[in-house]
Amino acid sequence: MNPAVPAGAGRFAPSPSGDLHLGNLRTAMLAWLFARSTGRRFLVRIEDLDRVRAGAEHRQLADLAAVGLAWDAEVVHQSGRIPRYLDAIGQLRGRGLVYECYCTRREILHAPTAPHAPQGAYPGTCRNLGESERAERRRGRPAALRLRADTDHFTVRDQLHGNYTGTVDDMVLLRNDGVPAYNLAVVVDDAAQGVDQVVRGDDLLSSAPRQAYLAGLLGLHAPRYAHVPLVLNPEHRRLAKRDGAVTLAELVRHGQTADGVRDALLASLGLPAGPLEAVLPAFDPAALPREPWIYRGELAEDAALPRA
Ligand code: GLU
């Protein structure tokens, strides 16, 4: 192996649906710290298969750079990689592991479920339709493609959560609008980009078993996972506009600097202030907080001032 090319990579993979908030920035910094502290490259991938807001990608990348994150290869866009996702689906289809599904959300919600079926799992309505039933239903609406999974659960190992067993169901591979599904795209891309370490918010922990199972079916190695705690508002909900200044641009308007925000996020992780390179020696995954960080608006420098 060429020692100049380090093995493996970590990544941050935002959806360009809006500006990054403090939680996203904190997760991105953690992904960088995990990658760098283990000699991995750090990559950024824009997950722009849906929910794209004009200008968001540009601002997201600028904000990552402003808190001191640098990435090691050109940014990859999922929208430019559709043929790869279709290839993967074709591969599974060739093995009889794909079927057409005509269900609406409503039908899925109201379908009777098997007594022991895990909550939220696809009830299998279209799994065993005969050819004539299929032809009939095809006339109604375009089909989505689903995986014919041969298990209902799978276990992944997570660096912060230990062994985690979660639901695997007949997940959607191709949506009925022709767009490849998130679970498929993520698996294909992580493998293609040499990503062997996935650090992301723990709201995605329950997706990891599906993704790792799918990776196995495609003959790919599942990455190492670390699902990190989120930043939440005082009501324990995800940060949103109503929580005041939660993006870098908003905080700068309230008197903060990018370095100040970076240092506050580091402090919330029990880490010293400073450029990220300088923080690396102090980074220890085992010492990370396991609980969400409750953000009460304290980073808006003028938060305590009376409103004009
Ligand atoms: N694009 C996803 C998001 O922004 C993250 C996907 C992942 O990290 O696997 O929520």
Side-chain angles (χ1 to χ4, degrees):
M1 204 170 79
N2 178 353
V5 184
R11 48 66 158 188
F12 181 62
S15 304
S17 53
D19 287 2
L20 300 176
H21 57 57
L22 287 169
N24 307 125
L25 287 170
R26 189 175 186 251
T27 299
M29 284 166 44
L30 281 169
W32 187 95
L33 288 164
F34 268 89
R36 276 287 180 278
S37 63
T38 52
R40 288 178 166 85
R41 290 173 303 137
F42 176 71
L43 307 175
V44 172
R45 178 171 73 234
I46 301 291
E47 303 211 322
D48 58 350
L49 290 180
D50 63 358
R51 295 190 296 141
V52 174
R53 180 169 300 174
E57 170 189 334
H58 178 78
R59 290 196 302 276
Q60 290 184 338
L61 294 176
D63 287 356
L64 294 178
V67 295
L69 293 183
W71 42 96
D72 297 307
E74 234 175 279
V75 170
V76 161
H77 293 81
Q78 290 192 323
S79 56
R81 300 169 48 79
I82 307 272
R84 296 224 190 195
Y85 311 134
L86 299 181
D87 273 0
I89 295 171
Q91 198 196 115
L92 296 168
R93 202 169 201 172
R95 287 155 55 198
L97 294 178
V98 174
Y99 64 89
E100 292 184 9
C101 169
Y102 317 92
C103 293
T104 60
R105 253 177 234 274
R106 213 186 138 74
E107 281 169 334
I108 294 175
L109 214 61
H110 295 290
T113 41
H116 301 294
Q119 241 215 328
Y122 177 66
T125 320
C126 293
R127 191 176 228 251
N128 298 314
L129 295 181
E131 195 39 59
S132 64
E133 285 169 299
R134 231 179 280 146
E136 172 72 21
R137 296 208 63 180
R138 224 177 255 145
R139 275 202 288 274
R141 63 198 309 264
L145 297 181
R146 284 188 183 273
L147 177 72
R148 192 180 290 282
D150 67 1
T151 184
D152 60 6
H153 65 280
F154 197 74
T155 301
V156 296
R157 172 130 196 94
D158 184 280
Q159 215 172 328
L160 301 182
H161 295 262
N163 284 343
Y164 173 81
T165 302
T167 301
V168 170
D169 67 349
D170 285 0
M171 66 194 98
V172 171
L173 302 171
L174 188 74
R175 300 181 345 195
N176 82 339
D177 59 2
V179 176
Y182 156 69
N183 280 318
L184 176 87
V186 125
V187 166
V188 169
D189 285 343
D190 281 339
Q193 292 185 275
V195 168
D196 62 349
Q197 179 192 61
V198 165
V199 176
R200 59 187 177 188
D202 61 15
D203 52 335
L204 286 170
L205 177 61
S206 63
S207 299
R210 283 189 179 82
Q211 294 170 6
Y213 172 74
L214 186 54
L217 288 181
L218 288 166
L220 307 169
H221 285 293
R224 293 167 61 92
Y225 293 104
H227 288 87
V228 299
L230 302 179
V231 179
L232 301 177
N233 73 12
E235 284 83 52
H236 287 236
R237 296 212 194 88
R238 276 195 245 179
L239 291 184
K241 273 210 177 353
R242 63 174 178 278
D243 298 311
V246 292
T247 69
L248 188 55
E250 289 163 350
L251 286 164
V252 165
R253 255 183 269 135
H254 282 263
Q256 269 293 351
T257 61
D259 287 357
V261 171
R262 177 202 64 205
D263 290 345
L265 291 174
L266 287 169
S268 79
L269 295 164
L271 290 167
L276 293 181
E277 289 285 353
V279 171
L280 268 180
F283 179 68
D284 173 11
L288 286 175
R290 302 301 170 106
E291 296 299 320
W293 184 44
I294 306 301
Y295 179 66
R296 300 172 197 280
E298 55 270 41
L299 286 190
E301 289 271 287
D302 51 3
L305 300 180
R307 283 171 199 262

